Amino acid sequence: MAVAERGGAGKHNDCLFDAIKTLTNGHLPLRISSPYKFKQFFGVGRSDPIPWNHPKMPELEDVLNDCKLYIQGDANYISKFEGIKRRNTYYVNLRNGHYTPKSHNGR
């Protein structure tokens, strides 16, 4: 069985945005504050799913300000800040091409 290269669900495949928004309690920087802006940040079309291994994933950690991001499940993304203390750590599940929030700071 092949690993889904991209994650997405729903009309516009906004599940990664939704997961990040949930984990940050809705506190997103203006640059990625809407699904449209989030997709623009990644340089994908409005309805395109976002690959778990997109080259801008490490930059997303910078935009989210002092965080580490981990994607776990069908594929794994390990934070570029692995081993470095950061204020927030966000865990996102990727199952069957769908991102869901897992936990914030391991809780």
Side-chain angles (χ1 to χ4, degrees):
M1 182 160 120
V3 173
E5 286 294 315
R6 299 170 183 266
K11 181 179 177 184
H12 293 294
N13 294 303
D14 290 331
C15 58
L16 180 58
F17 171 81
D18 293 338
I20 298 294
K21 184 176 179 182
T22 297
L23 292 168
T24 62
N25 294 315
H27 301 293
L28 293 173
L30 186 59
R31 184 173 176 191
I32 58 168
S33 61
S34 71
Y36 175 79
K37 289 179 179 183
F38 195 77
K39 293 287 180 89
Q40 275 189 320
F41 169 80
F42 280 99
V44 299
R46 177 63 186 97
S47 295
D48 293 340
I50 298 172
W52 64 270
N53 58 352
H54 192 285
K56 286 201 129 188
M57 206 61 81
E59 189 179 334
L60 178 62
E61 293 179 282
D62 292 327
V63 170
L64 288 171
N65 192 22
D66 202 22
C67 89
K68 293 192 280 189
L69 176 65
Y70 294 90
I71 297 173
Q72 302 170 326
D74 293 342
N76 294 303
Y77 170 82
I78 297 173
S79 172
K80 73 176 187 173
F81 297 109
E82 178 72 16
I84 298 171
K85 185 163 176 53
R86 304 282 281 180
R87 184 179 328 144
N88 294 299
T89 302
Y90 302 123
Y91 295 91
V92 176
N93 282 321
L94 175 59
R95 296 265 190 254
N96 299 318
H98 180 62
Y99 295 107
T100 56
K102 184 174 181 182
S103 67
H104 172 240
N105 292 336
R107 289 181 251 144

